[in-house]
Amino acid sequence: MPTTHIHDAVRTPFGRAGGALSGVRPDDLAAVVMRATIERTGVDPARIADVIFGDANQAGEDNRNVARMGALLAGFPTSVPGVTVNRLCASSVESVIQGARAIESGDAEIILAGGVESMSRAPFVVEKSPKPWPATGNQTMWNTSIGWRMTNPALPGPWTVSNGEAAEKTARVNGITRDDQDAFAVRSHRLAAQAWADGVYAEETVQVPNAPLDRDEGIRPDSSMEKLATLRSLFAADGTVTAGNSSSINDGASAVLLAAEGVLEGEPLARITGRGAHGVDPDDFPIAPIEAANKALARAGRTWADVDLIELNEAFASQALACVRGWDVDPEIMNIHGGAIAIGHPLGASGGRIIGHAAHELRRRGGGVAVVAICIGVGQGLALVLER
């Protein structure tokens, strides 16, 4: 069976909601990283068997199969197909997994995977009345930037809580304090700022034309426990989850070039050796990556003792801390260059970012084993094992 190799990974800097990338359509953001991947590797785009991109919203300018639209905007031949997938926050991890399956089954030799999200440009949507011509009454308008909309009333109440309320539950059940969460957030900002200063992210990012953003817009190098302590809890009167120890609303795109062994010239960054998905009660979604990563390691024939590096998407500090405790690993090997609390979390693009960063870091180290994991609203987790 063919092995899937990662030959390159690139992303845009992640912009804040309403910030430097808010004027850029999501299909244009996708095109930027697609085009950059081809320019960086010299691969003839006509050789790409499929473009698989993740996108969590798909309610606005990204509604018309953003993978295909991005490929056309990037100038790829019309013979290159594209498909958009949705596993919410893990959409671009899902795109990589589907690409790897296509390669390993023999259906493809080269796949361009990734994801995109413009949370700034996510539209408002209005429910449509079941009556063709409603005579009276107002219709509900929903903001699609974030959160669960049009929830089915048949679902049990605990399963329809907000992600923030679930993060509060995770903190409470696991004994994770406000100070624990704020300290983790400060670490994320400090490490991300240092990584940019050291040039770590320069080789993994491409600037968006006509957008004045040369690094992640949400990083606060001056973040401190004292400053975070002034923020109020968001989801409970006596809660511990705040805007400061949670990921933000962001815009960005990421791409990962996958190929079967020996198909492309040049040494790949890493290879995919395991993957895992796991489901839990929706209000326990923050801890779903624990078992997802355990499954991925088992399928790779590895244990946590073999792992050198963890890239875990930081939806919330309580979620990240609960996962690292569940794995019983050294927290210092996780997110060594910061995470989503500082860098940002444009939903459909985040998975591609953490996969790409783990692959680039394995190359910089000259080898090793990395676990990439992400939590997903409505009670899921997804994980990959990368090796070099």
Side-chain angles (χ1 to χ4, degrees):
M1 183 174 70
T3 302
T4 301
H5 290 257
I6 296 173
H7 275 264
D8 196 17
V10 65
R11 67 176 178 92
T12 67
F14 287 173
R16 294 175 64 91
L21 299 184
S22 61
V24 186
R25 289 172 56 108
D27 44 7
D28 285 325
L29 286 174
V32 168
V33 292
M34 291 179 188
R35 189 182 303 113
T37 305
I38 295 306
E39 291 173 350
R40 287 158 58 103
T41 60
V43 172
D44 180 356
R47 298 180 64 191
I48 296 173
D50 210 351
V51 174
I52 308 174
F53 254 51
D55 180 22
N57 197 306
Q58 302 183 44
E61 295 158 335
D62 51 359
N63 77 90
R64 193 69 172 168
N65 189 0
V66 73
R68 173 64 170 173
M69 301 307 293
L72 293 175
L73 289 163
F76 289 9
T78 56
S79 59
V80 178
V83 61
T84 303
V85 299
N86 192 342
R87 205 194 275 255
L88 301 180
C89 296
S91 293
S92 49
V93 178
E94 179 66 23
S95 74
V96 170
I97 288 175
Q98 291 197 21
R101 286 179 181 145
I103 289 169
E104 292 159 19
S105 69
D107 285 347
E109 289 189 331
I110 304 173
I111 295 286
L112 183 57
V116 65
E117 207 78 50
S118 176
M119 300 175 80
S120 292
R121 299 177 72 86
F124 290 95
V125 296
V126 178
E127 289 182 300
K128 187 177 180 180
S129 171
K131 298 180 179 179
W133 305 106
T136 59
N138 297 320
Q139 300 293 73
T140 301
M141 178 178 286
W142 304 82
N143 183 348
T144 68
S145 290
I146 192 169
W148 199 349
R149 305 171 296 275
M150 305 179 193
T151 309
N152 193 316
L155 288 170
W159 289 6
T160 61
V161 300
S162 71
N163 288 351
E165 290 170 312
E168 282 285 4
K169 175 185 175 182
T170 298
R172 184 175 65 255
V173 169
N174 291 276
I176 299 170
T177 68
R178 168 72 179 266
D179 280 352
D180 292 336
Q181 295 170 67
D182 286 353
F184 185 84
V186 170
R187 173 187 184 268
S188 186
H189 285 281
R190 174 177 55 82
L191 293 175
Q194 189 62 54
W196 274 106
D198 292 343
V200 172
Y201 285 127
E203 63 181 335
E204 302 174 22
T205 53
V206 59
Q207 286 188 252
V208 178
N210 303 315
L213 185 64
D214 60 0
R215 62 183 55 202
D216 302 308
E217 197 171 13
I219 298 172
R220 297 188 295 275
D222 61 346
S223 182
S224 67
M225 294 290 287
E226 292 74 22
K227 289 182 179 180
L228 293 184
T230 65
L231 301 177
R232 65 179 180 85
S233 61
L234 295 175
F235 305 101
D238 58 347
T240 59
V241 177
T242 72
N245 56 41
S246 307
S247 60
S248 51
I249 299 173
N250 298 92
D251 311 324
S254 60
V256 182
L257 184 64
L258 308 173
E261 185 175 6
V263 169
L264 295 179
E265 295 181 0
E267 188 176 7
L269 301 176
R271 65 187 184 277
I272 298 173
T273 60
R275 48 192 177 244
H278 187 69
V280 295
D281 284 354
D283 56 335
D284 286 328
F285 86 90
I287 61 171
I290 297 175
E291 285 306 313
N294 290 343
K295 289 178 179 179
L297 280 169
R299 288 165 183 162
R302 296 288 191 174
T303 70
W304 282 106
D306 300 315
V307 176
D308 304 292
L309 178 73
I310 301 170
E311 278 294 316
L312 172 68
N313 193 58
E314 301 168 356
F316 299 91
S318 64
Q319 160 258 328
L321 289 167
C323 287
V324 78
R325 292 181 185 183
W327 292 323
D328 192 23
V329 296
D330 180 358
E332 292 305 309
I333 71 170
M334 184 176 77
N335 297 357
I336 63 169
H337 296 126
I341 288 174
I343 293 167
H345 181 21
L347 308 180
S350 290
R353 178 188 73 79
I354 58 176
I355 290 170
H357 185 59
H360 280 288
E361 182 61 22
L362 289 178
R363 180 194 59 77
R364 283 187 286 265
R365 294 178 176 213
V369 178
V371 168
V372 177
I374 192 165
C375 65
I376 310 164
V378 205
Q380 297 187 87
L382 208 54
L384 288 174
V385 177
L386 308 183
E387 299 189 36
R388 178 184 170 97

